[in-house]
Structure formats: structure tokens, C-alpha cells
Amino acid sequence: MEEILAVEHLSKSFTIHNLGKQIEVLRDINIAVKEGEFIGITGKSGSGKLTVLKCVYRTYAPQEGGIWYNSKEFGLINLMKASDRQVIYLRKHEIGYVSQFLNVMPRTTAWGLIKQAVLEMGHEENYAKREAEKMLKHFELDSGLWDSYPVTFSGGEKLRLNIAMAMVKHPRLLLLDEPTASLDFASKLKVKELIEQLIKEGTTMMGIFHDLEFMANLCNRRYEMSDGKLVYIIPKNLQ
């Protein structure tokens, strides 16, 4: 399998201007991810797990290092130096991101959000409608909510919608920020089913988790964020 993502010597600091302090969050992060792999990242709150994902998604601009992504459209590209237009294209067509929080246009319905995600990939209207309906049913969102605005949804319903919007695109690379954080057990199983389906389809994933039980038998490799670095956790059966 070829590498789809290589993070090399990544460092990231944040400046707290009112205190005149600079906090180093990531120190010389290195990780290579092969196509179809699922990489799990654990660690204490505030350890920098999310910062790694946001650097890959280009929400944050790192100070040092390179983030090399093997794009279907652009070939090997350094995400740190990619143009805004390239980043927008990759987010629409190749790289998905599931956040714990829903940040969407306030006057767009749940149905419309998922359908738009499919249309962005270049599919036809009827196909987008069918895929949106399948995804809404899979996550058991009440049909009475389909034409409602997500601002009225509960936290768990918003998270399920967020996951649905990302997974319906079947991205080449999917970044997951605590995808089961506020879900009940039945909803977690629905997420797990779709993750397993995407794995079979060849989607590469990198996710951060606190729910270690959920990660069991899903991740190919697990890392722990400690003191600003990623530390590989050797599986118990290999220790």
C-alpha cells in the first residue's frame, strides 16, 4: 500500500497575547499513514490531539514541518503550502472532517445539508436525494426532523448529522474528532457500522478518541499524545 499522508517534523505553538506567552503544543510530530489505514490517537484533554487534525485539515497553520498528502487531483501536495483554492477543493472532494460541533448555515434543513454534501461531489440531484435519505435513515434521525433546521436539534442529533454529512461523501481521507462523544450506545453502533463500511471501501482515517472500547478492533495503529509528541502504543498481543 502507498502512503496517502506523511506528517514530517510538525511543530505548532499558540500565542496568548494578553499574557505575552507562547505555548508549544506540538513538537516534531512525525507519522506516515498508508492508504486504507485507520490511525487512532488518544491522550489527555489539552494534550494537542485535536491540533494535529486541524493542522492536517489546514484549519491551523503550523510553524514548522510538512504535511504531504497524495491527492487524486493534485498528486503529492504539501498541505501547509497549498493554495486556498486547492484546500477548498480537497475539503469538498477528498478530505472529510467530523467535528464534535455542528457549524452550518442556520437556515438549511438536515435533508438539504446532506444532499448538498453529495452534490458538491458532482453527483446528480436524484442520486443526492437517495443518498441523503439512506444516511438519515441509517442514523435513525426522526423523519419529522428531516425538514427542520439543525439549530433545534439535541447535541446527539447534531453530532449524528455531522457524521452523516462527512461520511456520505465517502472521502479518501477522513479526520474524526471524538465521533461518539455525545452518542448513546445504539448511535455508536451506527457510527461503527459506517466506519467499517468505509474501511472496506478503502477510506483512510485518523481519529481522536477517549472511548478506547469503541476503538478496539477498528484501528490499525494507536498513538498517544504525550508532551507534545505522538508515542506509538504497542498492542498488548505484541508486548
Side-chain angles (χ1 to χ4, degrees):
M1 293 186 291
E2 294 184 356
E3 287 182 3
I4 190 172
L5 183 71
V7 178
E8 299 176 345
H9 306 295
L10 182 68
S11 296
K12 174 64 180 174
S13 299
F14 292 97
T15 301
I16 304 177
H17 294 282
N18 63 319
L19 298 178
K21 289 185 178 180
Q22 191 170 51
I23 299 176
E24 188 179 41
V25 180
L26 304 181
R27 296 191 299 113
D28 196 29
I29 298 290
N30 293 277
I31 185 171
V33 185
K34 294 181 179 178
E35 289 185 6
E37 277 195 310
F38 188 176
I39 304 300
I41 302 175
T42 59
K44 296 179 181 179
S45 296
S47 61
K49 304 184 301 297
L50 182 56
T51 302
V52 174
L53 292 195
K54 287 193 172 183
C55 286
V56 173
Y57 199 58
R58 249 285 288 277
T59 306
Y60 290 160
Q63 276 82 16
E64 297 178 11
I67 302 174
W68 295 93
Y69 170 67
N70 190 4
S71 167
K72 189 173 182 180
E73 176 70 16
F74 304 115
L76 190 62
I77 184 172
N78 186 351
L79 297 177
M80 286 180 59
K81 296 182 179 180
S83 68
D84 290 343
R85 181 171 293 183
Q86 287 173 320
V87 171
I88 290 170
Y89 178 91
L90 290 172
R91 288 179 178 181
K92 282 185 176 182
H93 297 275
E94 297 192 31
I95 303 176
Y97 185 93
V98 175
S99 170
Q100 296 182 49
F101 310 102
L102 186 65
N103 183 21
V104 296
M105 295 295 289
R107 294 190 178 276
T108 307
T109 66
W111 170 279
L113 286 167
I114 301 179
K115 187 181 76 171
Q116 182 59 35
V118 182
L119 290 173
E120 284 181 351
M121 299 291 289
H123 296 293
E124 296 181 350
E125 180 84 11
N126 288 336
Y127 177 83
K129 287 180 179 179
R130 291 196 302 271
E131 290 299 297
E133 183 174 342
K134 282 198 300 186
M135 196 61 72
L136 287 163
K137 287 181 176 178
H138 178 85
F139 279 108
E140 297 180 349
L141 278 166
D142 191 300
S143 58
L145 296 175
W146 292 10
D147 291 319
S148 300
Y149 300 140
V151 68
T152 64
F153 288 10
S154 68
E157 288 167 343
K158 288 178 180 177
L159 182 53
R160 279 185 279 166
L161 179 59
N162 230 10
I163 296 169
M165 287 167 57
M167 290 189 168
V168 75
K169 289 187 168 190
H170 304 272
R172 296 185 71 234
L173 174 63
L174 182 59
L175 308 172
L176 302 162
D177 169 21
E178 294 285 356
T180 60
S182 58
L183 299 182
D184 56 34
F185 183 73
S187 296
K188 285 183 180 182
L189 289 181
K190 293 291 184 181
V191 174
K192 193 169 187 176
E193 286 176 14
L194 276 181
I195 287 178
E196 289 171 338
Q197 178 183 326
L198 291 177
I199 288 173
K200 290 179 181 177
E201 293 174 1
T203 294
T204 306
M205 283 175 266
M206 180 181 287
I208 59 178
F209 299 91
H210 284 296
D211 190 346
L212 299 182
E213 185 178 345
F214 180 83
M215 286 177 61
N217 302 319
L218 275 180
C219 294
N220 299 101
R221 285 181 283 149
R222 177 190 156 202
Y223 291 80
E224 184 171 339
M225 183 63 71
S226 178
D227 195 26
K229 292 193 173 186
L230 282 177
V231 180
Y232 174 59
I233 304 299
I234 302 173
K236 290 183 177 180
N237 62 330
L238 296 179
Q239 293 177 350

